[in-house]
Amino acid sequence: MRIRTLATAGAVALAGFGVSLGTAGSASAAEYCTTGYACLYYNSDFKGAFYRQYFDIPNYAGYYFSASAAGSAGAGVAVKNNTASVDNWDFDWGIRQYFNSNYGGASQGIPAGGAANLNGDLKNDNASGKFYR
């Protein structure tokens, strides 16, 4: 699992100034995928709502899609078993989507800087995601 000390230090600093940081947060319709994140999309071809993943997640239960610049279809829907495509804006790490929780079962890797529609085994059947080198 990647440690994000800079992000943690920034969050601590902002919290010290009384700025509230939400863990799930909601994206506005103008939200884009940005460098350092793998973005999971509700629809194929990187359309609809998305979830920006920044760290390994052994179980997508409790994580939800937010509206994106690519649309709001799927906003508020659980990420687990509802992802159709992945756009990886992390240019150092690939991300692998897994059929089962805890990184098990069928999987599909999306390389650093890559993007793909999930294959038939994983489309709308993803349960966890882990970054890899």
Side-chain angles (χ1 to χ4, degrees), residues 7-20:
T8 302
V12 170
L14 288 174
F17 287 108
V19 176
S20 174

Side-chain angles (χ1 to χ4, degrees), residues 28-48:
S28 71
E31 291 284 334
Y32 293 90
C33 196
T34 55
T35 301
Y37 291 90
C39 292
L40 286 60
Y41 285 86
Y42 180 74
N43 289 325
S44 297
D45 301 319
F46 328 108
K47 303 291 184 196

Side-chain angles (χ1 to χ4, degrees), residues 2-83:
R2 300 185 299 173
I3 307 279
R4 299 294 184 143
T5 54
L6 183 58
T8 302
V12 170
L14 288 174
F17 287 108
V19 176
S20 174
L21 296 175
T23 55
S26 63
S28 71
E31 291 284 334
Y32 293 90
C33 196
T34 55
T35 301
Y37 291 90
C39 292
L40 286 60
Y41 285 86
Y42 180 74
N43 289 325
S44 297
D45 301 319
F46 328 108
K47 303 291 184 196
F50 73 155
Y51 174 76
R52 287 191 282 192
Q53 185 170 338
Y54 196 64
F55 50 86
D56 297 342
I57 299 178
N59 187 344
Y60 284 128
Y63 294 88
Y64 299 90
F65 291 106
S66 297
S68 76
S72 61
V77 173
V79 172
K80 187 172 186 174
N81 297 326
N82 288 304
T83 300

Side-chain angles (χ1 to χ4, degrees), residues 81 97-101 104-107 121-122 125-128:
N81 297 326
Q97 292 294 295
Y98 292 88
F99 182 80
N100 294 325
S101 296
S107 69
D121 291 335
L122 293 167
D125 263 331
N126 64 311
S128 58

